[in-house]
Amino acid sequence: MATIYVLNGPNLNLLGTREPEIYGHATLADVERLCRATAARFDLAVEFRQSNHEGELIDSIHEAARNGAAGIVFNPAGYTHTSIAMHDAIAAGRIPVIEVHISNVFARESFRAHSYVAPVARASLCGFGIDGYALAITGLAAMIGIAAKS
Ligand code: CA2
């Protein structure tokens, strides 16, 4: 069975506890359940992680590439807008990365409109709430030629 990594950046452990007007009421545990249910439709195993540390996220990207993962669904959170190191890790990894944001980053502060990840991601989506994770997994499966189970 192929594996995808679902990686979540800083502060996403707080999902569902603050700023519900921006991020909704779902928790990260809800996101994990949604990812596992979506991936199961494509017979994909999920390695689901959250970290508040840039280096740990980079280590996970390296690990996914080293382990031959089928792809990464990645919400880099605040590092989206700051991290050249994240950009470099993805560029070096050579596995498909789908960038996901819960909120519509283009409808918020101007500093959120720039992403260091987008140029090295195979696709990016934002503004669908946590459904964006399910859409990203479905799109990744199509991209790598894995059909839904009948
Ligand atoms: O919309 C997204 O998914 C973001 O990646 C979330 C990041 C933000 O820096 C990006 O611009 C867009 C912030 C994640 C923090 O998540 C929280 C969730 C609930 C309460 C507080 C923070």
Side-chain angles (χ1 to χ4, degrees), residues 110-124:
S110 59
F111 64 81
R112 296 189 200 275
H114 178 262
S115 169
Y116 282 101
V117 169
V120 285
R122 289 283 294 274
S124 302

Side-chain angles (χ1 to χ4, degrees), residues 22-23 75 101-106 108 112 125-129:
I22 300 174
Y23 299 114
N75 185 344
H101 300 286
I102 295 166
S103 64
N104 180 356
V105 288
F106 300 105
R108 300 180 61 191
R112 296 189 200 275
L125 68 173
C126 72
F128 289 103

